[in-house]
Amino acid sequence: LGAAVTVFVRSTMAHAVIDSIDISDAEAMPGVLAVYTAENMELPAVNIFPMVDPALSRPPLAIGRVRFVGDIVAMIVAETNKQGVDATGQVVGEYTPLHANTDIEAALGPDAMVVWEGQDSNVCFHTEIGGETDPLEGADAVVSERVVTQRLAGVPMEGNGCIAIPEDDGHMTFYVSSQNAHSVRDALAPEMGLDPDKCRVRTPWVGGGFGPKGGLYVEFVLAGHAALRLGRAVKWHEQRSENMVALMHGRAMVMNVEMGV
């Protein structure tokens, strides 16, 4: 395919204001085809999970602030992976640290730092099921429990990755390490400005998925836009260390349960 390789520069801070990102030295490195930040690749924020308010959608390249360790601040596109990795070391970022919410219950407190500017709290969405009557009314006994489920990483056997291929007829083909080609296509196509029938997502044999490989990743969107800008195939494959901060984590639930019996 003659595919170029993309390597991402990720935040090592959990929460911080981005004061500056200097990419000038990285752009001059051997084999580098392009270096993108939110300033020279302006993309709409991506709603990764449909139930979440769009106001909390994630910018593919961090704008103004990083919100977790692994948030993408710059993207290097180079001829080889080694050249791309070398160039990431030349990206210089300056940050002002902010308080990080490391406990999900504390993040709901009145003094908690709000992660998304303009929001009243850190609540992503709220749902209620049932009527106005008390479901516990008339119960002989009420049992209550606080159930904590730890945060975990899926750790698939192979890391995440994709290849974005722009076609001459305006279509695009993506090879994606995913459990669900159809949902990725339907979510990815509008991000690329395409109708779903012009965006083909192919999923070869996948070395494990375990849940985190079920949906769209901003890395797919970024690789696709880089491919369109450069007019050539662009691929991304992560290392295990990157997988641990970039692949979606799961669980981290606290359930306060009451049951009438």
Side-chain angles (χ1 to χ4, degrees):
L1 294 174
V5 179
T6 183
V7 182
F8 297 108
V9 180
R10 299 182 181 274
S11 170
T12 58
M13 306 186 75
H15 198 197
V17 172
I18 302 174
D19 297 320
S20 64
I21 302 292
D22 186 350
I23 61 174
S24 56
D25 288 344
E27 290 177 313
M29 290 289 287
V32 171
L33 302 172
V35 183
Y36 299 112
T37 67
E39 291 188 0
N40 61 6
M41 182 181 271
E42 298 180 12
L43 298 175
V46 178
N47 190 333
I48 300 295
F49 189 60
M51 293 181 69
V52 173
D53 186 334
L56 281 62
S57 294
R58 176 187 170 188
L61 292 162
I63 302 173
R65 178 187 300 204
V66 291
R67 294 179 173 85
F68 63 96
V69 173
D71 210 355
I72 302 171
V73 297
M75 173 174 60
I76 311 287
V77 185
E79 293 288 358
T80 69
N81 186 70
K82 183 179 185 303
Q83 291 170 330
V85 171
D86 287 346
T88 63
Q90 301 303 312
V91 176
V92 180
E94 294 187 357
Y95 305 87
T96 299
L98 296 171
H99 176 74
N101 298 309
T102 57
D103 180 274
I104 59 176
E105 291 180 296
L108 300 177
D111 299 325
M113 168 71 78
V114 176
V115 176
W116 295 95
E117 310 95 305
Q119 301 301 303
D120 296 329
S121 74
N122 289 312
V123 175
C124 295
F125 62 88
H126 176 82
T127 184
E128 293 184 8
I129 299 174
E132 297 180 358
T133 59
D134 182 0
L136 302 178
E137 184 178 355
D140 293 327
V142 176
V143 180
S144 61
E145 185 66 73
R146 180 176 183 269
V147 182
V148 178
T149 304
Q150 79 278 16
R151 180 174 174 169
L152 58 81
V155 194
M157 288 181 284
E158 64 182 14
N160 208 357
C162 71
I163 303 176
I165 307 170
E167 310 289 357
D168 293 337
D169 58 2
H171 291 59
M172 288 198 73
T173 298
F174 286 83
Y175 288 82
V176 178
S177 178
S178 174
Q179 300 167 241
N180 196 332
H182 294 89
S183 66
V184 170
R185 181 203 62 183
D186 293 344
L188 183 58
E191 299 294 338
M192 303 308 304
L194 298 172
D195 293 329
D197 62 354
K198 293 184 178 180
C199 181
R200 184 183 188 190
V201 172
R202 304 187 65 179
T203 55
W205 291 109
V206 175
F210 315 128
K213 288 191 176 184
L216 177 66
Y217 278 84
V218 297
E219 288 86 349
F220 303 165
V221 176
L222 290 169
H225 280 281
L228 289 177
R229 290 194 178 199
L230 298 174
R232 61 185 292 186
V234 171
K235 67 180 178 180
W236 165 63
H237 60 88
E238 63 182 8
Q239 303 298 313
R240 177 58 61 191
S241 58
E242 186 179 21
N243 172 265
M244 295 299 289
V245 297
L247 204 71
M248 294 177 189
H249 291 187
R251 312 301 187 264
M253 295 183 291
V254 177
M255 294 165 281
N256 295 301
V257 182
E258 288 186 319
M259 181 171 64
V261 298

